[in-house]
Amino acid sequence: MNPRAALRRRRRRNASRLVRRTAATVLGTQLATAAGLLAFDTIRRRDRPDREFPRAPARALPVPGGEVRVFTYGEDLFADMLADIAAAKHRVFFETYIWKGDAVGERFRDALVAAHERGVEVYVVFDEFANLVVPRSFYASLPDGIHVLRHPLVSGGPTFFMPHNWGRNHRKLLVVDDTAAYVGGYNIGGLYATKWRDTHARFAGEIVVELENAFVDYWNDQGGRPVLPQPRRRTWSHTTRVQRNVPVDHVYPIRNMYLEAIDRAQHHIYLTQAYLIPDAAFTRSLVNSALRGVDVQIIVPHYSNHILADWVSRVSYHKLLEAGVRLLRFENAMVHAKTATIDGVWSTIGTANIDRLSLAGNFEVNMEILDPEVAAHLERVFELDSGNCTELTLQQWTERPLINRVTEGILSPWRPLL
């Protein structure tokens, strides 16, 4: 063999070996870092006492064609949801990401069974992956007459490897007759009743049919049986719109809804987010708003229920803080709300987080509301929540320990996945 050719071959083998070893070392370091953070978080949660957090009473707000009632405490929300199910006469559409098999979960199961037994048509959707830890017997106890659709662990058949088939059903919907429709961040379980700060809304009036349509479309498109008829009437509301992410159809309007609203802001932007992992365009939009003098404030959990998401989210902090965005960290409880209000005019309440999984991955639904009274109420809620926050300043951020910077750098390649 030609000596030069042999030398080139050896160099290629050595380079390939070096690349593999480097990749293995990087991945091993990332996994070890993640494992250490998860262990730390387990200890922190065990030693953290439960504390009260401020909450606003549920309040019904009139909007053209109906009303909106905003909930910020799980027990209040669950009581009204169960009351509406108990009053159902014709049908109940119930859709949730997490449905725990605890006492609260059993109350909802029993309410749905009771509705079915008195002749109400009951349709149930939940995400298979999110409920892997729930005993199968909990769902098996639903009678055959209740129509159940499990969002599968894997979908798409032969094309399951395509990213648009990986989306989870992260939606939380309840539609009762033509009477009421609920949407927001609350999952179903005892943890969410008293220990998490979240936001949900109950809609009454003409907009109910739009959330009914959102459920019907998902049910039929995902193979639910029996096939549901489309609503006989729809609405062209000028104040309230349903925005739905449908990954199997490559439809993601919620991200654009946010970007359009942020770019229109003239005075203030108040965001409350469980997991803040904005992409480059979203970060740029927030930064540009702050630089042109808009008061941009974002509430996030100081420590969320996903510690890796906390660390990955920090990659964008320097740009945001340097531009004048105020980051407020909610203390002593998990804040899980997905809300925003801008300029006393525009608001949204829904299921989508500001991260890739929600904005370009999962099935999500958000309500977009153009109403000054709803915006004013959400501003009051934001002010109340702000009193339970500590602000992260640019100086504090730039003076954070070196170990924090190293950890953020190790985990930052995972950001596109979250």
Side-chain angles (χ1 to χ4, degrees):
M1 179 182 291
N2 186 305
R4 290 184 179 180
L7 179 61
R8 286 196 297 270
R9 178 174 293 183
R10 283 198 302 272
R11 285 176 175 173
R12 285 197 296 268
R13 285 200 301 265
N14 290 339
S16 177
R17 190 178 299 115
L18 178 62
V19 169
R20 291 196 301 271
R21 287 177 178 175
T22 301
T25 300
V26 170
L27 179 60
T29 302
Q30 291 174 334
L31 292 175
T33 301
L37 289 174
L38 291 170
F40 164 77
D41 192 50
T42 299
I43 296 171
R44 179 186 61 81
R45 291 194 202 187
R46 184 184 62 199
D47 295 338
R48 185 183 68 189
D50 293 331
R51 297 183 183 179
E52 290 287 325
F53 53 86
R55 57 183 186 267
R59 181 182 171 191
L61 306 166
V63 295
E67 71 171 28
V68 181
R69 184 178 301 166
V70 179
F71 297 87
T72 62
Y73 194 60
E75 277 192 343
D76 299 338
L77 169 68
F78 295 158
D80 277 25
M81 291 173 74
L82 290 166
D84 276 326
I85 294 173
K89 296 179 180 178
H90 305 292
R91 69 180 182 278
V92 172
F93 295 153
F94 176 75
E95 182 176 358
T96 187
Y97 180 59
I98 296 174
W99 185 5
K100 291 187 177 293
D102 57 15
V104 169
E106 289 175 354
R107 287 169 60 197
F108 275 84
R109 182 195 60 191
D110 294 346
L112 294 170
V113 171
H116 162 70
E117 290 176 344
R118 66 177 184 268
V120 175
E121 286 288 319
V122 177
Y123 296 81
V124 171
V125 174
F126 61 88
D127 189 273
E128 190 77 34
F129 173 78
N131 295 283
L132 285 174
V133 298
V134 179
R136 298 297 91 184
S137 58
F138 176 76
Y139 305 114
S141 64
L142 293 169
D144 290 339
I146 291 181
H147 311 292
V148 178
L149 175 60
R150 296 171 171 84
H151 189 85
L153 287 172
V154 178
S155 61
T159 62
F160 73 92
F161 56 88
M162 299 296 290
H164 66 269
N165 290 318
W166 301 348
R168 307 315 313 164
N169 184 342
H170 193 243
R171 309 190 328 173
K172 298 95 176 170
L173 283 176
L174 173 66
V175 184
V176 179
D177 295 332
D178 297 321
T179 306
Y182 294 80
V183 65
Y186 276 101
N187 292 293
I188 304 300
L191 173 68
Y192 317 115
T194 59
K195 294 184 168 71
W196 280 28
R197 163 66 189 91
D198 212 330
T199 301
H200 226 79
R202 178 190 188 272
F203 293 85
E206 64 179 19
I207 201 64
V208 170
V209 70
E210 296 305 307
L211 286 168
E212 174 192 347
N213 182 69
F215 183 95
V216 169
D217 282 351
Y218 173 85
W219 179 272
N220 291 342
D221 292 346
Q222 295 299 307
R225 292 293 180 270
V227 173
L228 288 168
Q230 292 292 329
R232 290 191 299 270
R233 58 175 183 82
R234 299 286 298 280
T235 179
W236 289 100
S237 172
H238 297 291
T239 58
T240 309
R241 290 186 288 270
V242 178
Q243 302 286 0
R244 292 180 282 163
N245 282 0
V246 186
V248 294
D249 293 333
H250 305 277
V251 173
Y252 301 102
I254 296 176
R255 176 176 178 273
N256 193 58
M257 173 197 76
Y258 265 111
L259 292 175
E260 284 291 332
I262 291 169
D263 285 347
R264 291 171 185 264
Q266 298 296 314
H267 183 262
H268 63 266
I269 299 170
Y270 299 155
L271 294 170
T272 303
Q273 285 293 317
Y275 316 107
L276 180 69
I277 312 178
D279 59 28
F282 210 113
T283 301
R284 183 170 63 249
S285 186
L286 290 170
V287 165
N288 288 342
S289 294
L291 291 176
R292 68 173 182 266
V294 177
D295 176 20
V296 183
Q297 300 186 38
I298 307 175
I299 291 177
V300 296
H302 196 157
Y303 298 103
S304 80
N305 62 318
H306 294 302
I307 192 168
L308 296 182
D310 292 346
W311 282 84
V312 172
S313 72
R314 297 174 183 179
V315 174
S316 62
Y317 280 11
H318 187 85
K319 287 183 179 179
L320 295 173
L321 291 169
E322 191 174 42
V325 174
R326 296 180 62 192
L327 293 176
L328 311 175
R329 300 183 293 188
F330 198 81
E331 302 289 352
N332 304 319
M334 171 60 187
V335 59
H336 191 249
K338 302 94 168 54
T339 62
T341 188
I342 296 177
D343 284 356
V345 177
W346 179 93
S347 304
T348 186
I349 299 172
T351 70
N353 301 303
I354 296 179
D355 58 22
R356 190 207 63 80
L357 288 176
S358 279
L359 299 185
N362 292 335
F363 290 85
E364 306 280 1
V365 57
N366 269 51
M367 298 301 293
E368 183 179 20
I369 308 165
L370 290 164
D371 184 86
E373 191 162 352
V374 173
H377 180 71
L378 288 178
E379 288 176 6
R380 289 190 292 270
V381 171
F382 189 91
E383 182 180 7
L384 183 65
D385 288 336
S386 298
N388 191 57
C389 294
T390 55
E391 184 168 358
L392 176 65
T393 66
L394 179 60
Q395 181 177 349
Q396 290 170 333
W397 181 245
T398 55
E399 293 176 355
R400 68 194 187 282
L402 177 62
I403 186 62
N404 289 25
R405 299 169 185 262
V406 172
T407 302
E408 293 153 14
I410 291 172
L411 296 178
S412 62
W414 289 6
R415 185 179 176 86
L417 302 177
L418 301 176

